Amino acid sequence: MKSEILIIGGGIIGLSIARELDQRGLSGIMVVEQGYCGEQSSWAAAGMLGAQAETDEPGDMLSFCVESRSMYPELAGSLLDDTGIDIELDQKGTLYLAFDDDDAARISQRVRWQRNAGLEALTLSGPETRRTEPFVSPEVIGGALFPNDWQVDNRKLLSALRRYADLRGITVVEQTTVNSLNISNGVVTGAGTSTGEISADRTIIATGAWTSLIKIGAFPVPIAVKPIRGQMIAFRTAKRLFERVVYSTNGYMVPRADGRVLIGATSEDVGFNKDISAIATAGLIETASKIAPALGSLPVIEEWAGLRPAGPDRMPILGEFSGVRGLYVATGHYRNGILLAPRTAELIADLMIDGGRSPYLDAFSPDRFRIS
Ligand code: GLY
């Protein structure tokens, strides 16, 4: 098979890059996915756009998250126009709960540095927190509100991106595993796959947790990305009890428009294993009960697990490897693949089309892990 641009990986990152390149007028785009598009980590995610709830300090990661989050209203509108799929961008914000003085101190500190960084964040008293979300636990002593940390339905987002690819004639090849990239005189020229050779002028690795399994020629790709399992559960409430995403130090709760309430998530270094365990489910039910006691007595309607792609410093890995031409990488998004997809796609497209050198390409360069 022949392509001009070969994107390896049909998850949120690969499909977002395919869309961005198509929108910029590039053709001959092919996405190769080892299973079915969007059915791994992107499907398992909770869809939180938690730039402020999930980032622990100011810096490149915070600004990258905030910039990507701000792209979602336009992305949601454009996907609805192009595909007819509503990705359910919900802009009601995120509430962070404090159950004790340590939580309260940590949350106030987060609000302080974020306000100093020019972001909207409010500290709330216990009664203010409960007025904001009446079904949270009476044990809550305070909280913080991040009005611009939103959520989307990640499964609908993936369906929309997949449909976009079909409508635009982007070639999508599923159930095909890339074993190794073909390299000649320092230039990547395509890939050898389980169903044959694919030639490409430019190749993008967007393989998330599976990145380190790919070889360049005979050598493993020089990036250590490992899977970190996250198990989740969902309840259903007869009517919507919560307006916002709710975080706590033990886990989070994501209320969906269809009445489902998602609870996440474990963080387990157990390799490529997506089993769900009774212990984890029990722990997640406990987390739910702690956040909102009303949830604890409901039946669990769904349990699932996904694999977060974790690089050595848990930051994204974006750009080119020095000394290798025709190859780009966009992986290692760890807990924030859904959040970071639009800005990642823009950054990779800028680099591929105009050679755009964003400072993020230095901060998140794959070369940062090289020993010499
Ligand atoms: N971003 C939430 C998680 O990875 O569990």
Side-chain angles (χ1 to χ4, degrees):
M1 282 186 285
K2 195 171 160 30
S3 66
E4 280 161 47
I5 297 171
L6 171 62
I7 300 174
I8 308 171
I12 180 70
I13 301 298
L15 290 178
S16 297
I17 293 172
R19 172 180 173 273
E20 186 70 27
L21 294 176
D22 174 76
Q23 292 210 315
R24 308 256 192 126
L26 270 61
S27 56
I29 303 168
M30 180 184 286
V31 177
V32 176
E33 161 58 40
Q34 63 176 345
Y36 292 101
C37 286
E39 292 196 355
Q40 284 288 358
S41 320
S42 315
W43 178 89
M48 293 172 297
L49 307 179
Q52 291 174 247
E54 292 247 357
T55 317
D56 294 329
E57 57 191 10
D60 290 318
M61 184 62 176
L62 175 73
S63 10
F64 197 54
C65 288
V66 168
E67 287 172 25
S68 201
R69 184 183 67 185
S70 73
M71 295 172 75
Y72 261 92
E74 202 273 328
L75 174 64
S78 158
L79 284 174
L80 182 61
D81 290 346
D82 291 343
T83 69
I85 297 176
D86 179 359
I87 65 167
E88 294 180 9
L89 173 65
D90 178 333
Q91 296 179 276
K92 296 198 192 76
T94 289
L95 187 65
Y96 211 124
L97 305 180
F99 286 94
D100 56 33
D101 291 342
D102 284 350
D103 283 352
R106 261 196 305 274
I107 288 173
S108 304
Q109 198 196 5
R110 181 181 290 262
V111 168
R112 219 171 13 255
W113 71 254
Q114 293 194 350
R115 289 170 71 105
N116 287 339
L119 298 170
E120 232 181 298
L122 299 167
T123 310
L124 305 179
S125 66
E128 285 169 335
T129 307
R130 282 189 295 278
R131 269 200 299 281
T132 307
E133 285 292 348
F135 286 92
V136 298
S137 168
E139 287 176 19
V140 164
I141 65 159
L145 184 64
F146 304 109
N148 300 317
D149 270 0
W150 307 319
Q151 61 151 313
V152 284
D153 185 321
N154 43 295
R155 296 178 190 175
K156 291 191 173 152
L157 171 59
L158 267 293
S159 301
L161 290 170
R162 180 71 174 84
R163 186 175 294 171
Y164 180 93
D166 286 342
L167 291 171
R168 295 289 306 158
I170 293 169
T171 307
V172 177
V173 181
E174 296 182 314
Q175 292 194 282
T176 294
T177 304
V178 169
N179 303 315
S180 61
L181 306 181
N182 300 327
I183 185 158
S184 167
N185 296 325
V187 181
V188 170
T189 56
T193 80
S194 55
T195 55
E197 295 290 314
I198 302 175
S199 67
D201 299 334
R202 289 182 285 180
T203 299
I204 303 157
I205 299 176
T207 39
W210 289 264
T211 299
S212 294
L213 303 183
I214 291 181
K215 290 192 164 130
I216 304 181
F219 301 100
V221 69
I223 340 174
V225 177
K226 68 175 175 179
I228 297 293
R229 183 170 68 189
Q231 295 188 59
M232 295 192 60
I233 58 170
F235 303 105
R236 187 180 293 285
T237 54
K239 66 180 179 92
R240 189 164 173 171
L241 300 184
F242 307 95
E243 291 297 317
R244 296 164 189 79
V245 173
V246 178
Y247 270 79
S248 74
T249 35
N250 293 328
Y252 52 78
M253 184 200 68
V254 183
R256 288 281 203 248
D258 63 5
R260 281 180 310 137
V261 180
L262 320 186
I263 307 293
T266 62
S267 199
E268 303 161 86
D269 188 352
V270 290
F272 290 97
N273 175 350
K274 290 202 301 173
D275 290 350
I276 47 181
S277 71
I279 292 179
T281 300
L284 292 166
I285 294 172
E286 203 178 308
T287 298
S289 309
K290 178 143 193 199
I291 291 175
L295 293 177
S297 54
L298 295 174
V300 172
I301 59 158
E302 196 185 344
E303 300 165 80
W304 68 97
L307 302 175
R308 303 179 184 92
D313 57 6
R314 305 294 197 256
M315 299 284 181
I317 303 169
L318 307 174
E320 295 167 286
F321 297 96
S322 57
V324 182
R325 279 177 292 134
L327 181 64
Y328 303 83
V329 62
T331 188
H333 291 79
Y334 191 41
R335 299 177 63 94
N336 292 301
I338 302 294
L339 168 64
L340 292 175
R343 187 70 181 97
T344 295
E346 185 179 63
L347 191 83
I348 296 294
D350 287 347
L351 176 65
M352 290 178 69
I353 294 167
D354 314 316
R357 288 297 318 170
S358 157
Y360 292 127
L361 291 170
D362 297 323
F364 302 134
S365 164
D367 286 340
R368 74 188 186 274
F369 305 117
R370 286 203 176 173
I371 292 159
S372 56

mmCIF file of all heavy atoms in Angstrom, residues 64-99:
data_model
loop_
_atom_site.group_PDB
_atom_site.id
_atom_site.type_symbol
_atom_site.label_atom_id
_atom_site.label_comp_id
_atom_site.label_asym_id
_atom_site.label_seq_id
_atom_site.Cartn_x
_atom_site.Cartn_y
_atom_site.Cartn_z
ATOM 1 N N PHE A 64 0.151 24.352 27.844
ATOM 2 C CA PHE A 64 -0.253 23.473 26.745
ATOM 3 C C PHE A 64 -1.680 22.945 26.991
ATOM 4 O O PHE A 64 -2.518 22.925 26.093
ATOM 5 C CB PHE A 64 0.760 22.323 26.647
ATOM 6 C CG PHE A 64 0.729 21.575 25.353
ATOM 7 C CD1 PHE A 64 0.859 22.233 24.142
ATOM 8 C CD2 PHE A 64 0.583 20.193 25.342
ATOM 9 C CE1 PHE A 64 0.832 21.530 22.933
ATOM 10 C CE2 PHE A 64 0.555 19.485 24.145
ATOM 11 C CZ PHE A 64 0.686 20.162 22.944
ATOM 12 N N CYS A 65 -1.939 22.544 28.240
ATOM 13 C CA CYS A 65 -3.279 22.049 28.601
ATOM 14 C C CYS A 65 -4.334 23.148 28.425
ATOM 15 O O CYS A 65 -5.415 22.906 27.874
ATOM 16 C CB CYS A 65 -3.306 21.581 30.063
ATOM 17 S SG CYS A 65 -2.424 20.052 30.375
ATOM 18 N N VAL A 66 -4.013 24.342 28.899
ATOM 19 C CA VAL A 66 -4.993 25.438 28.840
ATOM 20 C C VAL A 66 -5.278 25.817 27.382
ATOM 21 O O VAL A 66 -6.426 26.026 26.983
ATOM 22 C CB VAL A 66 -4.482 26.649 29.662
ATOM 23 C CG1 VAL A 66 -5.311 27.892 29.392
ATOM 24 C CG2 VAL A 66 -4.500 26.316 31.154
ATOM 25 N N GLU A 67 -4.223 25.867 26.570
ATOM 26 C CA GLU A 67 -4.420 26.210 25.153
ATOM 27 C C GLU A 67 -5.273 25.152 24.458
ATOM 28 O O GLU A 67 -6.152 25.466 23.663
ATOM 29 C CB GLU A 67 -3.063 26.322 24.438
ATOM 30 C CG GLU A 67 -2.297 27.573 24.814
ATOM 31 C CD GLU A 67 -0.873 27.574 24.251
ATOM 32 O OE1 GLU A 67 -0.620 26.908 23.232
ATOM 33 O OE2 GLU A 67 -0.020 28.249 24.846
ATOM 34 N N SER A 68 -5.026 23.894 24.769
ATOM 35 C CA SER A 68 -5.784 22.825 24.121
ATOM 36 C C SER A 68 -7.253 22.870 24.558
ATOM 37 O O SER A 68 -8.159 22.732 23.738
ATOM 38 C CB SER A 68 -5.156 21.464 24.444
ATOM 39 O OG SER A 68 -5.554 20.510 23.491
ATOM 40 N N ARG A 69 -7.453 23.084 25.848
ATOM 41 C CA ARG A 69 -8.829 23.181 26.363
ATOM 42 C C ARG A 69 -9.604 24.273 25.642
ATOM 43 O O ARG A 69 -10.771 24.093 25.287
ATOM 44 C CB ARG A 69 -8.744 23.467 27.869
ATOM 45 C CG ARG A 69 -10.051 23.503 28.586
ATOM 46 C CD ARG A 69 -9.857 23.874 30.048
ATOM 47 N NE ARG A 69 -9.387 25.240 30.225
ATOM 48 C CZ ARG A 69 -9.038 25.789 31.386
ATOM 49 N NH1 ARG A 69 -9.108 25.076 32.495
ATOM 50 N NH2 ARG A 69 -8.648 27.039 31.471
ATOM 51 N N SER A 70 -8.936 25.402 25.402
ATOM 52 C CA SER A 70 -9.643 26.543 24.793
ATOM 53 C C SER A 70 -10.026 26.257 23.336
ATOM 54 O O SER A 70 -10.825 26.970 22.751
ATOM 55 C CB SER A 70 -8.781 27.800 24.870
ATOM 56 O OG SER A 70 -7.722 27.687 23.936
ATOM 57 N N MET A 71 -9.481 25.208 22.746
ATOM 58 C CA MET A 71 -9.819 24.873 21.356
ATOM 59 C C MET A 71 -11.112 24.062 21.260
ATOM 60 O O MET A 71 -11.654 23.857 20.174
ATOM 61 C CB MET A 71 -8.657 24.083 20.723
ATOM 62 C CG MET A 71 -7.383 24.912 20.601
ATOM 63 S SD MET A 71 -5.964 23.915 20.073
ATOM 64 C CE MET A 71 -6.339 23.694 18.337
ATOM 65 N N TYR A 72 -11.593 23.562 22.398
ATOM 66 C CA TYR A 72 -12.736 22.642 22.346
ATOM 67 C C TYR A 72 -14.050 23.246 21.846
ATOM 68 O O TYR A 72 -14.782 22.583 21.083
ATOM 69 C CB TYR A 72 -12.909 21.920 23.688
ATOM 70 C CG TYR A 72 -12.300 20.534 23.599
ATOM 71 C CD1 TYR A 72 -10.988 20.311 23.974
ATOM 72 C CD2 TYR A 72 -13.017 19.475 23.063
ATOM 73 C CE1 TYR A 72 -10.404 19.066 23.835
ATOM 74 C CE2 TYR A 72 -12.447 18.215 22.916
ATOM 75 C CZ TYR A 72 -11.159 18.019 23.307
ATOM 76 O OH TYR A 72 -10.593 16.781 23.147
ATOM 77 N N PRO A 73 -14.418 24.494 22.228
ATOM 78 C CA PRO A 73 -15.698 25.002 21.707
ATOM 79 C C PRO A 73 -15.720 25.020 20.176
ATOM 80 O O PRO A 73 -16.695 24.587 19.550
ATOM 81 C CB PRO A 73 -15.785 26.408 22.311
ATOM 82 C CG PRO A 73 -15.014 26.290 23.604
ATOM 83 C CD PRO A 73 -13.859 25.373 23.281
ATOM 84 N N GLU A 74 -14.636 25.470 19.572
ATOM 85 C CA GLU A 74 -14.573 25.521 18.107
ATOM 86 C C GLU A 74 -14.576 24.092 17.524
ATOM 87 O O GLU A 74 -15.247 23.807 16.545
ATOM 88 C CB GLU A 74 -13.305 26.293 17.709
ATOM 89 C CG GLU A 74 -13.358 26.891 16.309
ATOM 90 C CD GLU A 74 -12.892 25.911 15.260
ATOM 91 O OE1 GLU A 74 -12.012 25.089 15.577
ATOM 92 O OE2 GLU A 74 -13.435 25.946 14.135
ATOM 93 N N LEU A 75 -13.830 23.197 18.177
ATOM 94 C CA LEU A 75 -13.760 21.808 17.703
ATOM 95 C C LEU A 75 -15.146 21.150 17.750
ATOM 96 O O LEU A 75 -15.567 20.481 16.798
ATOM 97 C CB LEU A 75 -12.770 21.016 18.568
ATOM 98 C CG LEU A 75 -12.680 19.512 18.295
ATOM 99 C CD1 LEU A 75 -12.153 19.232 16.897
ATOM 100 C CD2 LEU A 75 -11.784 18.813 19.329
ATOM 101 N N ALA A 76 -15.860 21.374 18.869
ATOM 102 C CA ALA A 76 -17.188 20.748 19.023
ATOM 103 C C ALA A 76 -18.129 21.243 17.927
ATOM 104 O O ALA A 76 -18.852 20.445 17.308
ATOM 105 C CB ALA A 76 -17.751 21.063 20.405
ATOM 106 N N GLY A 77 -18.097 22.553 17.673
ATOM 107 C CA GLY A 77 -18.977 23.130 16.647
ATOM 108 C C GLY A 77 -18.623 22.600 15.270
ATOM 109 O O GLY A 77 -19.503 22.225 14.478
ATOM 110 N N SER A 78 -17.341 22.541 15.001
ATOM 111 C CA SER A 78 -16.910 22.122 13.670
ATOM 112 C C SER A 78 -17.208 20.628 13.434
ATOM 113 O O SER A 78 -17.646 20.234 12.349
ATOM 114 C CB SER A 78 -15.429 22.492 13.571
ATOM 115 O OG SER A 78 -14.778 21.782 12.633
ATOM 116 N N LEU A 79 -17.019 19.803 14.462
ATOM 117 C CA LEU A 79 -17.337 18.374 14.297
ATOM 118 C C LEU A 79 -18.846 18.165 14.115
ATOM 119 O O LEU A 79 -19.277 17.303 13.340
ATOM 120 C CB LEU A 79 -16.825 17.562 15.490
ATOM 121 C CG LEU A 79 -15.311 17.304 15.499
ATOM 122 C CD1 LEU A 79 -14.891 16.625 16.805
ATOM 123 C CD2 LEU A 79 -14.869 16.443 14.313
ATOM 124 N N LEU A 80 -19.650 18.972 14.822
ATOM 125 C CA LEU A 80 -21.101 18.859 14.658
ATOM 126 C C LEU A 80 -21.479 19.226 13.219
ATOM 127 O O LEU A 80 -22.247 18.509 12.563
ATOM 128 C CB LEU A 80 -21.806 19.772 15.670
ATOM 129 C CG LEU A 80 -23.332 19.728 15.649
ATOM 130 C CD1 LEU A 80 -23.857 18.330 15.979
ATOM 131 C CD2 LEU A 80 -23.920 20.739 16.642
ATOM 132 N N ASP A 81 -20.915 20.324 12.723
ATOM 133 C CA ASP A 81 -21.219 20.735 11.338
ATOM 134 C C ASP A 81 -20.768 19.672 10.337
ATOM 135 O O ASP A 81 -21.477 19.344 9.398
ATOM 136 C CB ASP A 81 -20.488 22.041 10.980
ATOM 137 C CG ASP A 81 -21.062 23.228 11.733
ATOM 138 O OD1 ASP A 81 -22.165 23.086 12.299
ATOM 139 O OD2 ASP A 81 -20.402 24.276 11.761
ATOM 140 N N ASP A 82 -19.568 19.158 10.537
ATOM 141 C CA ASP A 82 -18.992 18.247 9.528
ATOM 142 C C ASP A 82 -19.558 16.832 9.598
ATOM 143 O O ASP A 82 -19.621 16.148 8.580
ATOM 144 C CB ASP A 82 -17.464 18.156 9.699
ATOM 145 C CG ASP A 82 -16.773 19.457 9.325
ATOM 146 O OD1 ASP A 82 -17.401 20.286 8.643
ATOM 147 O OD2 ASP A 82 -15.613 19.649 9.731
ATOM 148 N N THR A 83 -19.894 16.375 10.806
ATOM 149 C CA THR A 83 -20.248 14.951 10.953
ATOM 150 C C THR A 83 -21.662 14.730 11.486
ATOM 151 O O THR A 83 -22.135 13.590 11.493
ATOM 152 C CB THR A 83 -19.287 14.246 11.942
ATOM 153 O OG1 THR A 83 -19.524 14.750 13.272
ATOM 154 C CG2 THR A 83 -17.831 14.477 11.572
ATOM 155 N N GLY A 84 -22.290 15.775 12.027
ATOM 156 C CA GLY A 84 -23.610 15.616 12.645
ATOM 157 C C GLY A 84 -23.531 15.013 14.040
ATOM 158 O O GLY A 84 -24.557 14.759 14.666
ATOM 159 N N ILE A 85 -22.321 14.792 14.558
ATOM 160 C CA ILE A 85 -22.190 14.185 15.899
ATOM 161 C C ILE A 85 -21.887 15.281 16.927
ATOM 162 O O ILE A 85 -20.941 16.055 16.769
ATOM 163 C CB ILE A 85 -21.096 13.101 15.921
ATOM 164 C CG1 ILE A 85 -21.490 11.957 14.982
ATOM 165 C CG2 ILE A 85 -20.862 12.579 17.347
ATOM 166 C CD1 ILE A 85 -20.460 10.856 14.842
ATOM 167 N N ASP A 86 -22.717 15.295 17.964
ATOM 168 C CA ASP A 86 -22.539 16.246 19.067
ATOM 169 C C ASP A 86 -21.626 15.582 20.101
ATOM 170 O O ASP A 86 -21.991 14.550 20.667
ATOM 171 C CB ASP A 86 -23.920 16.546 19.664
ATOM 172 C CG ASP A 86 -23.839 17.516 20.835
ATOM 173 O OD1 ASP A 86 -22.729 17.949 21.201
ATOM 174 O OD2 ASP A 86 -24.914 17.819 21.395
ATOM 175 N N ILE A 87 -20.467 16.165 20.352
ATOM 176 C CA ILE A 87 -19.519 15.535 21.289
ATOM 177 C C ILE A 87 -19.825 15.924 22.742
ATOM 178 O O ILE A 87 -19.090 15.594 23.658
ATOM 179 C CB ILE A 87 -18.044 15.841 20.928
ATOM 180 C CG1 ILE A 87 -17.724 17.332 21.080
ATOM 181 C CG2 ILE A 87 -17.727 15.346 19.526
ATOM 182 C CD1 ILE A 87 -16.214 17.637 21.034
ATOM 183 N N GLU A 88 -20.939 16.632 22.924
ATOM 184 C CA GLU A 88 -21.443 16.985 24.256
ATOM 185 C C GLU A 88 -20.402 17.703 25.094
ATOM 186 O O GLU A 88 -20.104 17.290 26.222
ATOM 187 C CB GLU A 88 -22.012 15.745 24.969
ATOM 188 C CG GLU A 88 -23.247 15.226 24.255
ATOM 189 C CD GLU A 88 -23.880 14.000 24.889
ATOM 190 O OE1 GLU A 88 -23.468 13.619 26.005
ATOM 191 O OE2 GLU A 88 -24.776 13.422 24.253
ATOM 192 N N LEU A 89 -19.873 18.773 24.542
ATOM 193 C CA LEU A 89 -18.992 19.629 25.341
ATOM 194 C C LEU A 89 -19.843 20.273 26.429
ATOM 195 O O LEU A 89 -20.827 20.943 26.139
ATOM 196 C CB LEU A 89 -18.363 20.711 24.453
ATOM 197 C CG LEU A 89 -17.549 21.774 25.194
ATOM 198 C CD1 LEU A 89 -16.314 21.167 25.859
ATOM 199 C CD2 LEU A 89 -17.138 22.898 24.242
ATOM 200 N N ASP A 90 -19.471 20.026 27.667
ATOM 201 C CA ASP A 90 -20.238 20.519 28.815
ATOM 202 C C ASP A 90 -19.338 21.505 29.551
ATOM 203 O O ASP A 90 -18.288 21.134 30.076
ATOM 204 C CB ASP A 90 -20.603 19.296 29.678
ATOM 205 C CG ASP A 90 -21.357 19.663 30.929
ATOM 206 O OD1 ASP A 90 -21.176 20.797 31.423
ATOM 207 O OD2 ASP A 90 -22.103 18.805 31.437
ATOM 208 N N GLN A 91 -19.769 22.765 29.575
ATOM 209 C CA GLN A 91 -18.895 23.833 30.087
ATOM 210 C C GLN A 91 -19.306 24.315 31.475
ATOM 211 O O GLN A 91 -19.129 25.485 31.804
ATOM 212 C CB GLN A 91 -18.875 24.992 29.086
ATOM 213 C CG GLN A 91 -18.256 24.584 27.757
ATOM 214 C CD GLN A 91 -18.259 25.708 26.748
ATOM 215 O OE1 GLN A 91 -19.247 25.918 26.062
ATOM 216 N NE2 GLN A 91 -17.174 26.436 26.648
ATOM 217 N N LYS A 92 -19.853 23.381 32.292
ATOM 218 C CA LYS A 92 -20.314 23.820 33.614
ATOM 219 C C LYS A 92 -19.190 23.895 34.646
ATOM 220 O O LYS A 92 -19.387 24.378 35.742
ATOM 221 C CB LYS A 92 -21.418 22.894 34.101
ATOM 222 C CG LYS A 92 -22.656 22.964 33.212
ATOM 223 C CD LYS A 92 -23.880 22.410 33.884
ATOM 224 C CE LYS A 92 -24.995 22.231 32.882
ATOM 225 N NZ LYS A 92 -24.779 21.026 32.020
ATOM 226 N N GLY A 93 -18.023 23.380 34.318
ATOM 227 C CA GLY A 93 -16.888 23.544 35.229
ATOM 228 C C GLY A 93 -16.620 22.320 36.084
ATOM 229 O O GLY A 93 -17.304 21.291 35.970
ATOM 230 N N THR A 94 -15.623 22.453 36.921
ATOM 231 C CA THR A 94 -15.166 21.345 37.774
ATOM 232 C C THR A 94 -15.048 21.836 39.210
ATOM 233 O O THR A 94 -14.565 22.938 39.467
ATOM 234 C CB THR A 94 -13.801 20.839 37.264
ATOM 235 O OG1 THR A 94 -14.009 20.164 36.025
ATOM 236 C CG2 THR A 94 -13.139 19.872 38.241
ATOM 237 N N LEU A 95 -15.505 20.994 40.119
ATOM 238 C CA LEU A 95 -15.440 21.299 41.547
ATOM 239 C C LEU A 95 -14.417 20.362 42.175
ATOM 240 O O LEU A 95 -14.407 19.162 41.869
ATOM 241 C CB LEU A 95 -16.832 21.038 42.145
ATOM 242 C CG LEU A 95 -17.086 21.427 43.580
ATOM 243 C CD1 LEU A 95 -16.989 22.933 43.771
ATOM 244 C CD2 LEU A 95 -18.490 20.953 43.996
ATOM 245 N N TYR A 96 -13.553 20.888 43.029
ATOM 246 C CA TYR A 96 -12.555 20.054 43.724
ATOM 247 C C TYR A 96 -12.917 20.065 45.202
ATOM 248 O O TYR A 96 -13.080 21.133 45.788
ATOM 249 C CB TYR A 96 -11.153 20.647 43.495
ATOM 250 C CG TYR A 96 -10.053 19.606 43.467
ATOM 251 C CD1 TYR A 96 -9.196 19.500 42.382
ATOM 252 C CD2 TYR A 96 -9.861 18.745 44.547
ATOM 253 C CE1 TYR A 96 -8.187 18.549 42.346
ATOM 254 C CE2 TYR A 96 -8.856 17.792 44.513
ATOM 255 C CZ TYR A 96 -8.029 17.693 43.421
ATOM 256 O OH TYR A 96 -7.033 16.753 43.387
ATOM 257 N N LEU A 97 -13.071 18.906 45.823
ATOM 258 C CA LEU A 97 -13.555 18.834 47.205
ATOM 259 C C LEU A 97 -12.419 18.704 48.212
ATOM 260 O O LEU A 97 -11.446 17.986 47.975
ATOM 261 C CB LEU A 97 -14.463 17.611 47.384
ATOM 262 C CG LEU A 97 -15.658 17.474 46.441
ATOM 263 C CD1 LEU A 97 -16.444 16.191 46.780
ATOM 264 C CD2 LEU A 97 -16.569 18.688 46.531
ATOM 265 N N ALA A 98 -12.601 19.344 49.375
ATOM 266 C CA ALA A 98 -11.683 19.154 50.511
ATOM 267 C C ALA A 98 -12.451 18.457 51.626
ATOM 268 O O ALA A 98 -13.555 18.876 51.989
ATOM 269 C CB ALA A 98 -11.171 20.501 50.997
ATOM 270 N N PHE A 99 -11.855 17.360 52.140
ATOM 271 C CA PHE A 99 -12.482 16.631 53.251
ATOM 272 C C PHE A 99 -11.791 16.889 54.578
ATOM 273 O O PHE A 99 -12.289 16.519 55.617
ATOM 274 C CB PHE A 99 -12.493 15.128 52.949
ATOM 275 C CG PHE A 99 -13.509 14.746 51.908
ATOM 276 C CD1 PHE A 99 -13.160 14.646 50.577
ATOM 277 C CD2 PHE A 99 -14.832 14.513 52.269
ATOM 278 C CE1 PHE A 99 -14.096 14.309 49.622
ATOM 279 C CE2 PHE A 99 -15.776 14.177 51.316
ATOM 280 C CZ PHE A 99 -15.418 14.076 49.981
#
